Amino acid sequence: MSVLPILTWPDPRLSQRCAPVAHASDLAEVIADLFETMYAAQGRGLAAPQVGILQQFFVMDCGWKEGEPTPKVCINPTILESSEEIATRPEACLSLPGITADIIRPTSIKLQSYDLDGQKQLWQLDGFEATCAQHEFDHLQGLVTLDRVDPADRPQLEARYSAAMA
Ligand code: ZN
């Protein structure tokens, strides 16, 4: 396993739509690398495009920092249902170090994805896991948190990011 370099915004690869995965079983090694990279960076989710792979998969583990690992592999994910209930939560991103952005999202989702064996999985995700999965799902569509904030707030957020990266 190896820790991969994480791309930072505005790398153009973070703004591209990713292609569906054709053979899930080919991803075993890179998924292991993705987990290792995420843990090394103290993250809770990491999507393939963040390491320059423009394919539709991500990993997440919202519990490991609290001592209860819940690693999830999501290949070719689809959001089947989103709750009507929404909430605003601050979101950090390993590709936007130094800032958090307040994003409004549904508080629960039903997510379909595939595992490394090509088996279909259905996830009912709530709370932080729902937020995390939607954030990672966005990466596969070429969207980062800056694309989700109120456009009026974006310039200020970008300025803070530039200052943090300087
Ligand atoms: Zn992110």
Side-chain angles (χ1 to χ4, degrees):
M1 289 202 293
S2 40
V3 172
L4 307 170
I6 298 176
L7 304 182
T8 52
W9 190 83
D11 189 296
R13 286 168 286 182
L14 294 169
S15 301
Q16 289 180 39
R17 245 188 131 80
C18 295
V21 172
H23 300 289
S25 56
D26 294 348
L27 298 178
E29 198 172 323
V30 72
I31 292 275
D33 289 346
L34 219 47
F35 272 117
E36 186 167 351
T37 304
M38 180 188 78
Y39 292 131
Q42 300 290 306
R44 290 185 171 97
L46 191 61
Q50 292 180 274
V51 296
I53 301 169
L54 299 180
Q55 295 185 42
Q56 294 177 14
F57 62 97
F58 63 80
V59 299
M60 57 185 261
D61 185 341
C62 292
W64 76 278
K65 286 191 178 183
E66 288 72 41
E68 288 176 32
T70 51
K72 290 183 170 61
V73 174
C74 298
I75 299 169
N76 292 341
T78 315
I79 296 176
L80 298 179
E81 283 174 29
S82 302
S83 63
E84 281 181 29
E85 189 189 341
I86 55 172
T88 305
R89 293 204 175 93
E91 294 182 25
C93 179
L94 294 175
S95 293
L96 286 149
I99 59 165
T100 58
D102 289 330
I103 316 260
I104 305 168
R105 298 190 192 273
T107 55
S108 306
I109 59 165
K110 192 187 275 184
L111 186 84
Q112 174 188 295
S113 63
Y114 294 83
D115 67 12
L116 280 167
D117 298 320
Q119 297 296 310
K120 191 191 283 185
Q121 297 173 303
L122 285 175
W123 310 99
Q124 175 62 48
L125 302 172
D126 307 295
F128 192 78
E129 280 204 308
T131 302
C132 187
Q134 290 174 86
H135 176 117
E136 301 312 327
F137 183 85
D138 273 357
H139 276 300
L140 308 184
Q141 324 306 317
L143 298 173
V144 296
T145 54
L146 291 173
D147 302 312
R148 286 280 188 196
V149 297
D150 188 325
D153 295 337
R154 181 165 175 153
Q156 195 191 0
L157 206 53
E158 282 195 37
R160 248 193 286 151
Y161 176 67
S162 300
M165 290 292 272

